[in-house]
Amino acid sequence: MSEKKSQEVTIDNASLSSTLDDDRVLEEIGYVPSFKREFTNLATISFAFSIMGLCSSIATTFDTPLLLGGPASVTWCWILGASMCFTLGASIAEIVSAFPTCGGLYTASAQLCPKKHRAIVGWVVGWMNILGQVAGVSSTEFGLANMIWAAVVVAKDGDYTITAPKVVGVFIGLLVFHGLLNCLATRWLARLTAGFVFINLGTTVLIIIVLLATTPRSEMHAASYVFGSAGVVNQTGGWNTGIAFLFGLLSVQWTDYDATAHISEEVKRAAYAAPSAIFIAVIGTGLLGWLLNIVLVLCSGPLENLPGASANAFLEIMALRMGKPGALFLWSFVCLTAFFVVQTALQACSRTVYAFSRDHGLPDRGYFGQVSRWTTTPLRAIWVTTLVSILPGLLDLASPVAANAIFALTAMALDLSYIIPIFLRRYYRNHPEVNFKPGPFYMGDGVIGWAANVNCILWTLFVCVIFALPNYRPVTALNMNYASAITGGVVILSMVWYFAGGRNHYKGPQSNLKNAEKNHKLRAEDEMSDGLHQA
């Protein structure tokens, strides 16, 4: 009995020591701890896997490479993009390890440049990151709504019409529900998140096994169709085959890598756990996702029959091979993984809004930069993020083109906001006002570190060019790609706003240690006064 108690005391002391170390690192950056650290290593890794989606991300993007560049584009663009994303994920993890704050790369960007540039850099990166995350939450939830209705179409054997009000109605209901779930205390969020990774990976593996088991060998495509020239099918209407093939990269350029950074103030051993989770999730998603893509193409049947009545090739392939009941059963778990993506994305985005408001980046006088006493979570930031995320979906009722234009902001805005701090860390490495103190996850200043950083910057710029191209030619108002215009507009408007009035209230990331000490003294004086009155 005494040995058991001794073990419990040892564990508690180790946990307390870890928390104190995390809080010390946070205070060195300039912030007082505001959240309870409840996310364990498992919960943090699960969070990182969930934000990338894996099978649900493939389910919502599989049509793009398949119908633009052909089956071989699906196969090769995934592993090519995943390899490049590995260098981006590693570079982000390196910075997150050094700056484990809920501001993520927004806070890091401002810290990695000279003082005279910190305000404008923090402002632009902050707005790009926030609006990219909001668009990501909205587009993923909208995709989930469409996935649910696609299942209804398959269940009705194609005899069902999906309308915009039906999709938007489900979209709003799901977002409100996610808002309510995010109001839970950190302890319950951590426990809920810990199980996500098993459903995510388990569903992916199960789909791979069942597809291979239910597809006759005689109906599987040849290797030349999956990997070779027979699988290169240009259906863009005007682009050359090379560009059509590269459109497959649109399905693999995962977003919100730094989402795990935004919960780092709620993570135990954050400087270790947060970057490690990002690193592991990028590798795992890349390799397992590649295998899933190969199997889907292998078992896909005639290309001319896709994407089918449900407008979702992934689901149609499952229904073709597994039968309707089996496909719908597994599809429910794919939808569940998409549900997890939005849950984690909304949590990450709300923490970014909280951090930006805390630094007076929003014109709210810090209103959304407050933590609730009941849940120790930023409830105000959660609900403003939820409500703003509803707006792009509502646009679909008036103009699907306008809604898609907002959704297109996600990948380009987020990826550009990621490479800015990576570039600044290298460009100002010898500047006297920039003190980059590496965290436990560090690739060094040798060949490996430089190669990863330079590669991810150049790759991201290249992919952004692909993101900006219209998918089909000739280009019309309906098929125009507005991603570059929207992203450029965000940068220009944020800079205009900054010089017009934002610089009056935003001075870059601001330490709140003095305010915390002041509040602590006031509380101590109040307690002493109450004690004297009682005496």
Side-chain angles (χ1 to χ4, degrees):
M1 187 72 177
S2 60
E3 290 181 3
K4 185 176 180 180
K5 287 183 177 180
S6 177
Q7 290 176 352
E8 289 177 352
V9 170
T10 302
I11 292 172
D12 288 342
N13 287 338
S15 177
L16 177 60
S17 175
S18 174
T19 300
L20 291 175
D21 288 342
D22 287 331
D23 292 347
R24 178 182 55 77
V25 171
L26 190 61
E27 288 172 359
E28 287 178 0
I29 298 172
Y31 294 106
V32 66
S34 302
F35 300 95
K36 290 186 177 180
R37 297 186 182 275
E38 302 284 0
F39 274 75
T40 61
N41 289 343
L42 173 61
T44 308
I45 291 173
S46 183
F47 185 97
F49 264 104
S50 296
I51 199 71
M52 294 184 186
L54 191 51
C55 62
S56 63
S57 294
I58 294 174
T60 54
T61 61
F62 185 73
D63 289 6
T64 300
L66 183 70
L67 302 179
L68 293 177
S73 175
V74 174
T75 305
W76 289 114
C77 283
W78 180 276
I79 193 61
L80 171 63
S83 300
M84 298 299 107
C85 288
F86 171 71
T87 65
L88 179 58
S91 298
I92 290 172
E94 187 176 47
I95 292 178
V96 169
S97 183
F99 299 96
T101 78
C102 63
L105 299 188
Y106 143 69
T107 301
S109 296
Q111 299 286 352
L112 292 171
C113 64
K115 292 181 180 179
K116 65 178 180 179
H117 301 313
R118 285 178 184 175
I120 185 65
V121 169
W123 178 270
V124 173
V125 173
W127 276 111
M128 286 179 64
N129 195 267
I130 287 175
L131 294 179
Q133 286 191 70
V134 167
V137 170
S138 188
S139 61
T140 307
E141 196 78 279
F142 203 81
L144 174 56
N146 278 304
M147 289 169 66
I148 293 171
W149 284 117
V152 174
V153 171
V154 170
K156 297 283 186 179
D157 295 318
D159 187 21
Y160 190 84
T161 303
I162 302 174
T163 62
K166 291 177 182 178
V167 176
V168 172
V170 172
F171 161 79
I172 293 174
L174 287 169
L175 258 178
V176 171
F177 185 53
H178 276 117
L180 291 171
L181 277 180
N182 267 280
C183 290
L184 293 173
T186 304
R187 174 177 297 181
W188 296 106
L189 286 173
R191 291 180 179 178
L192 179 66
T193 304
F196 290 176
V197 66
F198 300 108
I199 296 175
N200 197 339
L201 298 181
T203 300
T204 304
V205 172
L206 196 57
I207 290 173
I208 291 171
I209 293 172
V210 175
L211 277 175
L212 291 174
T214 56
T215 304
R217 287 287 298 274
S218 60
E219 296 181 17
M220 290 184 180
H221 288 291
S224 61
Y225 183 84
V226 181
F227 299 102
S229 57
V232 179
V233 184
N234 186 347
Q235 301 185 76
T236 60
W239 287 112
N240 63 53
T241 302
I243 296 294
F245 184 85
L246 289 174
F247 279 142
L249 295 171
L250 300 176
S251 68
V252 68
Q253 198 69 11
W254 315 302
T255 54
D256 226 356
Y257 295 88
D258 75 329
T260 310
H262 297 305
I263 64 162
S264 59
E265 293 184 31
E266 300 162 81
V267 172
K268 298 175 181 178
R269 300 178 70 246
Y272 294 88
S276 299
I278 295 171
F279 191 76
I280 292 169
V282 170
I283 294 176
T285 301
L287 294 177
L288 196 55
W290 191 38
L291 182 58
L292 177 58
N293 273 298
I294 291 173
V295 172
L296 283 168
V297 172
L298 189 68
C299 305
S300 61
L303 182 60
E304 59 268 20
N305 294 342
L306 299 173
S310 66
N312 190 296
F314 191 117
L315 177 56
E316 291 291 339
I317 294 169
M318 289 174 61
L320 172 67
R321 300 308 180 190
M322 305 174 190
K324 187 167 67 176
L328 291 177
F329 175 75
L330 285 179
W331 188 250
S332 65
F333 287 95
V334 177
C335 291
L336 192 58
T337 62
F339 184 89
F340 297 157
V341 174
V342 183
Q343 172 66 18
T344 50
L346 182 57
Q347 183 179 350
C349 187
S350 66
R351 272 46 173 185
T352 313
V353 171
Y354 160 82
F356 204 44
S357 174
R358 178 178 64 182
D359 293 335
H360 304 290
L362 299 177
D364 65 336
R365 297 186 178 181
Y367 180 80
F368 297 115
Q370 303 294 323
V371 173
S372 168
R373 294 182 180 179
W374 295 286
T375 63
T376 61
T377 56
L379 293 182
R380 295 175 182 177
I382 289 168
W383 281 108
V384 73
T385 304
T386 301
L387 294 176
V388 173
S389 297
I390 290 175
L391 298 180
L394 290 177
L395 274 178
D396 191 67
L397 295 173
S399 171
V401 175
N404 289 330
I406 299 298
F407 295 156
L409 170 70
T410 306
M412 188 177 290
L414 285 178
D415 282 355
L416 289 175
S417 74
Y418 296 156
I419 63 172
I420 290 173
I422 297 171
F423 170 79
L424 293 175
R425 154 164 150 53
R426 291 297 181 181
Y427 188 77
Y428 289 113
R429 64 189 182 280
N430 296 321
H431 197 283
E433 293 181 357
V434 177
N435 180 24
F436 176 74
K437 182 181 178 182
F441 187 99
Y442 182 50
M443 293 184 288
D445 281 326
V447 175
I448 294 177
W450 270 96
N453 293 164
V454 172
N455 181 81
C456 75
I457 292 172
L458 295 177
W459 174 255
T460 299
L461 293 175
F462 168 72
V463 170
C464 283
V465 174
I466 304 297
F467 285 160
L469 297 176
N471 292 342
Y472 297 95
R473 296 182 70 182
V475 180
T476 67
L478 294 178
N479 66 19
M480 175 60 184
N481 186 341
Y482 294 96
S484 56
I486 296 292
T487 304
V490 167
V491 174
I492 292 171
L493 289 176
S494 67
M495 293 185 72
V496 169
W497 184 5
Y498 174 78
F499 287 107
R503 57 182 175 175
N504 295 328
H505 59 82
Y506 180 74
K507 308 298 181 183
Q510 299 293 309
S511 172
N512 62 356
L513 290 175
K514 291 183 179 180
N515 290 336
E517 292 174 0
K518 181 179 179 181
N519 292 334
H520 180 73
K521 288 181 180 179
L522 290 174
R523 284 197 299 271
E525 290 174 1
D526 289 341
E527 290 173 0
M528 184 178 295
S529 177
D530 291 340
L532 291 173
H533 285 309
Q534 289 175 1

